[in-house]
Amino acid sequence: MMRNRIAALVETALQTAAAAEELLSSPFPAVIIGTPDNPDHGDFSCNIAMQMAKGERKAPRQVAEIVIRHLGDGGGLLAKAEIAGPGFINLFVAPGAWQSALLEIESQGAAFGRTATGAGKKVQIEFVSANPTGPLHIGHGRGAAIGDTLCRIMGAAGWAVTREFYYNDAGQQISNLALSVQARCLGIEPEDPRWPADGYRGEYIKDVANAYLGRETVEASDQHTVANGDPTDLNAIRTFAVAYLRREQDLDLAAFDVAFDVYSLESALYADGSVDEVVGRLIANKHAYEQDGALWLRTTDFGDDKDRVMRKSDGAYTYFIPDVAYHLGKWKRGFTRVINEQGADHHSTITRVRAGLQALDMGIPQGWPEYVLHQMVTVMRGGEEVKISKRAGSYVTLRDLIDEVGRDATRFFFLMRKVDAQLVFDIDLAKQQTNENPVYYVQYAHARICSIFENAAEKGFTAPEQPAAEALACLSTPEELQLIKLLCALPDTIDDSAVHFEPHRLTYYLTELAGCFHSFYNKNRVITEDTALTAARLYLLKRTAQTLKNALTVLGISAPERM
């Protein structure tokens, strides 16, 4: 918002200086506007003078002087501009410009914070993509929160987002699932020596078996499956178990307010010949070779540390080949930008999948697709790690957390840290109704503002609509101006979050905004004997509530009016 206006002002100054032949190195570098760590150094800063110094054959400070001379006051936007250090340009926005920005925030309403940076270009984001072998665990939960919020952020930044879930419904894990359900159908318990060696032991397997024996019908996203109840029919058990657990995962995600546009199945890649097509093309392109009875791909030609087996000596394909086929399908669907959100344990697959795509010789860019990898989650209760679930047996499920602390707290806590940082999820903290709980702290700021409006209405005061700019001039205390500055930062925060794939920036932003509001409220009376000041402050808080709600909505979190 304000950052873009400042950037445009600097660009105009450069062009004006070039027209006056004071700057000669056109075309100029892109103008990058930053924020000084110390607010005493200005609201924004720019290093354009240092970027241009060599081309201009001038000292950076000389270039900065020229730029500042042509900036002027920016039509009332700037209070002043200064040169700092080796040639930084520090820019101070005029208080009146900050105050008038509140009117723009009001006019945008629920759309405030949204930008057009993505220009409607297509991006496909794949996330969760859990094997349909059990309930979603906390790692899937963090991936769901990050992926879903990244979709919301990219959408808010102007991208046309398609959400996709990829089911690995083929391979050994699915075979182990089918054998586990069959064992339960036959009355075999996990402690029995006849239990499958790599079988799944959670109580949910018994639920699947009972549903199968009861000939239940399962509707799962894009699948209609009816159990035949025959415990000897392993293929029927496999089909039903996958459908049943896909439905369970659908329910987990619905409880988390996560939805998808497209569901893709690994099994479909074998059924429609996509895997065979990829292997045939890799062989035809001479990027594959036979050795020790296996088929290998020369991934070392594309940056891998060693070649990788595509087809094992028993004829089965290794896991990354269907992944290559799946991503080729994304490319054919026209997604020139694809982002995959996955757990950090998938790190080794990135090079292999990209190498396979390069080896197809179809013009796919080297860095395609892009990846966001999240680190593990540790759940704590009472100072001790929680490791198991009654339902899943060996791990904590996403549903466990949602049921215990609620959707909002679960989402916020999963998003509080950088995706590549390990996360400690403190259940006790997430349940606290105090300011120590970060999601409560943010939501309480919104609820507190709503209660202020109720109190004001009882005394005959309401926030004005589209007041004259002069009516906002009384919003001049440091707390008021800092609050306005933070409100104006929401569009920039969304853009930065989208560029860097960092949803945690929004949780940081909300925490800072809530703290700024609480600080303002503790130091300034809203309802005063000065009716003009009261109206202006109510207007400021109206915009604050609006911004809190807009940012929370992007995170998929509610903005309660009472707490």
Side-chain angles (χ1 to χ4, degrees):
M1 182 179 181
M2 192 65 74
R3 185 173 70 184
N4 289 345
R5 292 177 65 186
I6 293 294
L9 190 63
V10 174
E11 289 168 357
T12 299
L14 292 174
Q15 297 302 325
T16 304
E21 298 185 350
E22 294 182 48
L23 295 176
L24 305 173
S25 59
S26 180
F28 303 123
V31 173
I32 306 298
I33 301 298
T35 304
D37 293 331
N38 186 342
D40 292 337
H41 296 164
D43 297 306
F44 300 99
S45 65
C46 183
N47 66 351
I48 190 69
M50 291 182 287
Q51 291 180 276
M52 294 175 56
K54 183 176 180 181
E56 291 294 329
R57 297 184 180 180
K58 291 181 173 66
R61 292 181 67 92
Q62 288 179 292
V63 177
E65 288 174 359
I66 295 171
V67 174
I68 288 176
R69 185 162 60 251
H70 288 280
L71 279 174
D73 69 354
L77 183 61
L78 290 181
K80 63 179 177 177
E82 298 177 341
I83 303 173
F88 286 102
I89 300 174
N90 289 340
L91 303 126
F92 297 76
V93 176
W98 287 120
Q99 294 153 0
S100 295
L102 293 173
L103 300 170
E104 186 178 347
I105 294 174
E106 179 188 7
S107 67
Q108 293 184 34
F112 174 65
R114 304 184 71 86
T115 75
T117 305
K121 290 178 286 189
K122 290 171 56 176
V123 59
Q124 189 247 36
I125 302 178
E126 180 202 334
F127 61 107
V128 183
S129 293
N131 294 337
T133 54
L136 297 179
H137 56 61
I138 55 174
H140 297 136
R142 190 179 189 193
I146 292 168
D148 179 66
T149 305
L150 184 58
C151 290
R152 293 169 184 259
I153 288 170
M154 297 291 283
W159 291 84
V161 180
T162 297
R163 302 153 165 261
E164 187 148 339
F165 191 123
Y166 175 60
Y167 286 104
N168 293 106
D169 64 335
Q172 189 58 48
Q173 289 179 314
I174 301 300
S175 296
N176 293 337
L177 170 67
L179 290 171
S180 304
V181 174
Q182 184 180 49
R184 284 287 196 179
C185 287
L186 296 172
I188 300 172
E189 301 288 330
E191 298 75 22
D192 193 302
R194 294 172 294 169
W195 186 260
D198 296 315
Y200 294 94
R201 297 170 173 264
E203 283 297 303
Y204 68 92
I205 295 295
K206 182 185 291 186
D207 296 336
V208 179
N210 289 338
Y212 177 78
L213 292 173
R215 292 180 168 82
E216 290 188 12
T217 298
V218 171
E219 302 285 352
S221 52
D222 58 354
Q223 205 169 349
H224 174 87
T225 305
V226 181
N228 71 19
D230 181 358
T232 66
D233 191 339
L234 190 60
N235 286 332
I237 291 174
R238 178 186 294 107
T239 299
F240 180 80
V242 167
Y244 184 99
L245 291 171
R246 283 184 62 189
R247 181 184 65 184
E248 291 299 296
Q249 292 181 356
D250 288 347
L251 294 173
D252 290 343
L253 292 168
F256 209 34
D257 194 21
V258 175
F260 292 87
D261 302 307
V262 177
Y263 293 89
S264 294
L265 304 177
E266 180 184 357
S267 57
L269 299 172
Y270 290 96
D272 67 10
S274 295
V275 172
D276 290 337
E277 176 192 347
V278 161
V279 173
R281 190 174 184 93
L282 294 173
I283 293 172
N285 290 346
K286 303 188 185 308
H287 292 303
Y289 62 92
E290 297 271 358
Q291 182 177 302
D292 300 327
L295 182 65
W296 296 68
L297 179 65
R298 289 193 180 88
T299 54
T300 51
D301 291 346
F302 304 95
D304 203 356
D305 58 344
K306 61 181 179 180
D307 293 343
R308 304 291 176 175
V309 174
M310 291 195 297
R311 188 174 60 220
K312 295 179 287 187
S313 56
D314 64 2
Y317 289 114
T318 54
Y319 68 91
F320 85 94
I321 288 300
D323 281 356
V324 173
Y326 171 49
H327 283 87
L328 176 59
K330 294 182 182 184
W331 181 260
K332 288 181 176 179
R333 281 185 273 155
F335 291 111
T336 55
R337 189 171 195 198
V338 166
I339 302 167
N340 292 345
E341 200 294 327
Q342 298 173 321
D345 55 331
H346 288 80
H347 183 271
S348 61
T349 69
I350 296 175
T351 302
R352 298 173 203 182
V353 170
R354 285 177 173 170
L357 292 167
Q358 290 298 297
L360 293 172
D361 296 338
M362 296 182 66
I364 298 174
Q366 288 187 1
W368 189 95
E370 299 168 84
Y371 285 86
V372 178
L373 302 181
H374 68 263
Q375 283 290 345
M376 64 179 291
V377 182
T378 301
V379 179
M380 304 291 290
R381 182 194 286 114
E384 297 183 353
E385 183 178 352
V386 181
K387 293 185 176 181
I388 62 172
S389 160
K390 288 183 179 179
R391 184 159 171 257
S394 59
Y395 59 85
V396 181
T397 70
L398 172 60
R399 190 75 68 87
D400 291 333
L401 287 183
I402 296 172
D403 288 347
E404 186 154 0
V405 306
R407 184 192 72 194
D408 286 349
T410 302
R411 289 185 69 105
F412 197 96
F413 271 61
F414 276 144
L415 297 168
M416 285 195 307
R417 298 288 177 265
K418 290 186 67 173
V419 297
D420 58 0
Q422 294 191 4
L423 175 69
V424 175
F425 194 114
D426 188 330
I427 288 178
D428 298 322
L429 178 60
K431 293 170 69 174
Q432 284 184 23
Q433 300 289 300
T434 70
N435 286 341
E436 298 300 313
N437 179 350
V439 66
Y440 178 89
Y441 184 68
V442 172
Q443 290 180 315
Y444 178 61
H446 185 269
R448 192 177 192 183
I449 293 173
C450 292
S451 70
I452 292 171
F453 293 150
E454 290 182 1
N455 184 38
E458 291 173 0
K459 296 179 179 180
F461 294 101
T462 58
E465 295 184 5
Q466 289 293 311
E470 304 81 58
L472 303 176
C474 55
L475 298 174
S476 57
T477 68
E479 296 82 23
E480 289 165 337
L481 288 173
Q482 181 57 26
L483 186 52
I484 295 171
K485 291 176 184 181
L486 270 176
L487 300 181
C488 292
L490 178 58
D492 298 336
T493 304
I494 286 176
D495 270 345
D496 291 343
S497 299
V499 168
H500 298 286
F501 304 155
E502 292 183 340
H504 76 278
R505 290 178 183 240
L506 264 180
T507 65
Y508 285 17
Y509 169 81
L510 278 164
T511 302
E512 185 179 4
L513 179 57
C516 191
F517 157 70
H518 290 306
S519 177
F520 157 79
Y521 184 70
N522 292 335
K523 293 180 181 179
N524 299 275
R525 289 179 58 199
V526 176
I527 302 173
T528 71
E529 294 179 358
D530 185 334
T531 56
L533 179 61
T534 298
R537 286 182 172 170
L538 285 172
Y539 186 76
L540 172 59
L541 293 193
K542 196 76 170 179
R543 305 287 71 79
T544 303
Q546 172 190 339
T547 303
L548 284 166
K549 183 175 183 179
N550 289 2
L552 283 166
T553 299
V554 174
L555 293 180
I557 295 172
S558 67
E561 297 184 1
R562 295 178 182 274
M563 292 183 69

